[in-house]
């Protein structure tokens, strides 16, 4: 069981969401798909809400939040899926808020030599990247094709790096044209570089979730 709050129209769903998988039919899994224990009256079978496979209680005992499938409360998952979902929880608890709060960057469109200081943030419905300055842009997240995070501070022997910008490519709705934007953290004191670096790290995490949802 598990209550799901799913938008009526698919277009209104979060681009980071995953569809609930089809469950392996009971008649096709006489044994636990992890430990091979045979199911009987005492050893009951359970389905992992994330992968849909069939497990015994011991191998599917964890109840973990699964916001990517719109579950309201923690739901039963196998050990492997539970680990993945636990890692994703950090995105929903921390990075998503960072993206929505926004950060300031110098934004360069295409091959232009001119850049514009803009506040970049994720919309409240998670569907658009909103850029505000003298100009205004709204990029639909689902239209983003590639994200390259730019870093500095790397040394051949290993060392700390920090994100200083990103190059984003996206498709223009209704055409096959691909546009490019470059985001660079400002060097002056009016820009909070620490906040910008945190926003870029959150964007990197969001990109991984976005690509995973497409590959499902």
């Amino acid at each position: 069981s598990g209550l799901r709050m799913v938008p009526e129209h698919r277009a209104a769903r979060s681009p980071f969401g995953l569809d609930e998988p089809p469950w392996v039919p009971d008649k096709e899994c006489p044994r636990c798909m992890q430990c091979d224990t045979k199911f009987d009256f005492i050893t009951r079978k359970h389905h992992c809400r994330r992968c849909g496979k069939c497990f015994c209680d011991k191998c599917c005992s964890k109840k973990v939040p699964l916001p990517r499938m719109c579950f309201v409360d923690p739901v039963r998952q196998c050990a492997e899926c539970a680990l993945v979902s636990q890692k994703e929880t950090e995105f929903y608890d921390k990075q998503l808020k960072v993206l929505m709060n926004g950060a300031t960057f110098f934004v360069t469109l295409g091959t232009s030599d001119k850049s514009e200081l803009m506040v970049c943030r994720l919309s409240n419905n998670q569907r658009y990247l909103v850029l505000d300055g003298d100009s205004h842009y709204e990029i639909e997240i689902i239209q983003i094709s590639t994200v390259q995070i730019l870093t500095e501070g790397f040394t051949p022997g290993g060392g700390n790096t920090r994100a200083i910008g990103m190059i984003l490519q996206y498709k223009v709705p209704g055409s096959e044209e691909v546009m490019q934007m470059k985001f660079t953290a400002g060097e002056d004191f009016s820009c909070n570089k620490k906040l910008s670096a945190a926003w870029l790290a959150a964007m990197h995490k969001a990109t991984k979730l976005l690509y995973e949802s497409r590959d499902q």
Side-chain angles (χ1 to χ4, degrees):
S1 63
L3 177 64
R4 298 177 72 215
M5 299 291 287
V6 183
E8 182 178 359
H9 301 291
R10 189 177 184 84
R13 298 183 186 181
S14 167
F16 307 116
L18 295 174
D19 291 331
E20 191 175 12
W23 283 11
V24 175
D26 287 350
K27 62 181 180 181
E28 294 182 10
C29 52
R31 295 178 178 273
C32 173
M33 301 180 75
Q34 177 63 42
C35 69
D36 204 39
T37 297
K38 185 177 180 179
F39 294 123
D40 53 31
F41 182 75
I42 297 176
T43 305
R44 307 295 297 275
K45 61 183 65 174
H46 303 276
H47 285 85
C48 171
R49 299 309 191 268
R50 186 177 181 116
C51 67
K53 294 180 181 179
C54 206
F55 303 93
C56 66
D57 182 70
K58 182 180 179 180
C59 294
C60 195
S61 60
K62 294 181 179 291
K63 287 193 174 182
V64 180
L66 188 49
R68 296 190 70 187
M69 290 184 186
C70 302
F71 282 105
V72 175
D73 299 312
V75 289
R76 188 184 291 271
Q77 299 177 56
C78 67
E80 183 177 352
C81 287
L83 184 61
V84 175
S85 295
Q86 286 171 341
K87 291 180 179 179
E88 291 175 352
T89 298
E90 181 182 357
F91 173 78
Y92 284 91
D93 288 346
K94 298 179 181 180
Q95 282 97 352
L96 192 57
K97 296 175 183 177
V98 171
L99 290 174
M100 289 181 175
N101 288 336
T104 304
F105 297 93
F106 285 104
V107 179
T108 306
L109 181 61
T111 58
S112 173
D113 294 330
K114 296 181 180 180
S115 60
E116 181 179 341
L117 191 63
M118 308 188 81
V119 175
C120 308
R121 63 179 179 84
L122 186 68
S123 63
N124 291 336
N125 63 8
Q126 306 172 20
R127 294 179 55 215
Y128 294 92
L129 187 61
V130 181
L131 293 80
D132 279 310
D134 291 336
S135 306
H136 176 83
Y137 298 97
E138 291 188 6
I139 302 172
E140 194 171 4
I141 294 294
I142 200 66
Q143 297 294 337
I144 295 176
S145 54
T146 61
V147 174
Q148 177 187 354
I149 302 298
L150 307 175
T151 61
E152 70 174 10
F154 176 77
T155 58
N160 293 329
T161 62
R162 66 185 182 90
I164 60 170
M166 73 175 178
I167 296 176
L168 180 151
Q169 292 184 327
Y170 63 97
K171 291 184 178 180
V172 177
S175 75
E176 292 300 315
E177 183 182 5
V178 177
M179 299 292 291
Q180 176 173 296
M181 281 187 173
K182 182 178 180 180
F183 298 68
T184 308
E187 294 295 333
D188 62 326
F189 291 106
S190 65
C191 297
N192 189 326
K193 296 178 72 172
K194 185 176 180 180
L195 179 61
S196 298
W199 193 92
L200 289 168
M203 188 64 185
H204 186 235
K205 179 74 172 181
T207 302
K208 289 183 176 180
L209 298 188
L210 180 62
Y211 292 157
E212 182 183 337
S213 66
R214 289 174 177 172
D215 293 341
Q216 187 189 44

